[in-house]
Amino acid sequence: MALTHRSYAYENGGLPHNERLEFLGDSVLGLAVTSMLYTRHPELEEGALAKRRASVVSTVALAEVARGIGLGDHLKLGRGEELTGGRDKESILADAMEAVIGATYLSAGAPVATAMVLRLVEPLFENPERYGAAMDPKTALQEIAARQGLTPPTYSVQASGPDHERRFVATVTVGGLSTTGEGTSKKTAEMAAALELWRRLSDQTAD
């Protein structure tokens, strides 16, 4: 059930889907990350801790984690989502990641679920630059563009779908390179696009 998107459930006679597990997983994730940050960073004040927690549990960061374990390949999606690239959509991946965490909590208990969460998000903390990009990809993209002497990022956003299920697609361009990102809000879509282009520019620098 954790991998069943509501689009698949509705197309197949109203099967159970992963939104309740997502709700549970969100709380498990938040508590695990909060406890870890509190223990690991005794020097940080409440505001700084809250900012770091928000970054790790954000849609962009969770989608990055989900891609890292190939979660999209295992999702059950409706035909519409399949045709529009749902397996790589930030919001679908992030929601599924939370649902998996919720399912792990129910089947294996809190200690196992917490350990899994910390193992999955650890790379965001081990690589400070990448962590910063996931936390604020638009700023990270602007900074790497400036370091490489490229023009500042420019964004364009298109919206589609009914008001109750609005989807946004953002395109960001820097120095002749462009990437797109999707989300349920303009901000989320721009963040997804910015993070993807930041990755590409970072990979070029590493090469």
Side-chain angles (χ1 to χ4, degrees):
M1 191 194 308
L3 301 177
T4 303
H5 188 255
R6 66 176 179 228
S7 62
Y8 181 92
Y10 294 163
E11 288 182 11
N12 289 272
L15 297 173
H17 53 75
N18 65 6
E19 289 185 358
R20 281 175 54 85
L21 285 173
E22 172 197 338
F23 173 78
L24 175 61
D26 177 68
S27 295
V28 176
L29 170 70
L31 180 58
V33 171
T34 298
S35 299
M36 185 271 291
L37 287 171
Y38 182 87
T39 302
R40 184 177 292 188
H41 296 284
E43 78 283 1
L44 295 180
E45 298 294 332
E46 177 188 1
L49 289 171
K51 185 176 181 180
R52 293 199 181 193
R53 177 182 61 193
S55 71
V56 176
V57 302
S58 71
T59 297
V60 172
L62 287 178
E64 183 176 2
V65 170
R67 289 191 185 99
I69 62 173
L71 190 62
D73 295 337
H74 304 284
L75 298 177
K76 293 182 178 179
L77 301 176
R79 178 175 173 79
E81 290 294 352
E82 284 281 13
L83 293 174
T84 57
R87 293 187 184 279
D88 197 47
K89 286 183 180 178
E90 302 282 335
S91 59
I92 291 179
L93 287 172
D95 290 348
M97 193 69 255
E98 289 181 336
V100 168
I101 293 169
T104 302
Y105 175 87
L106 289 178
S107 63
V112 173
T114 298
M116 183 186 75
V117 167
L118 298 182
R119 185 170 64 252
L120 290 173
V121 303
E122 186 66 30
L124 295 176
F125 297 98
E126 290 182 346
N127 187 333
E129 186 175 358
R130 192 171 189 84
Y131 169 77
M135 177 174 63
D136 189 355
K138 294 181 71 173
T139 298
L141 177 60
Q142 186 172 344
E143 290 174 349
I144 196 172
R147 288 198 302 270
Q148 295 186 13
L150 303 174
T151 56
T154 58
Y155 295 85
S156 63
V157 182
Q158 293 183 326
S160 63
D163 289 341
H164 68 279
E165 200 169 340
R166 207 74 166 150
R167 301 292 306 175
F168 295 83
V169 178
T171 301
V172 59
T173 302
V174 172
L177 292 175
S178 296
T179 57
T180 60
E182 297 189 21
T184 55
S185 69
K186 176 182 176 182
K187 179 180 178 181
T188 302
E190 288 182 342
M191 289 174 65
L195 183 59
E196 180 59 30
L197 188 48
W198 178 88
R199 289 193 189 110
R200 289 179 62 181
L201 292 175
S202 297
D203 290 343
Q204 288 181 358
T205 301
D207 293 341

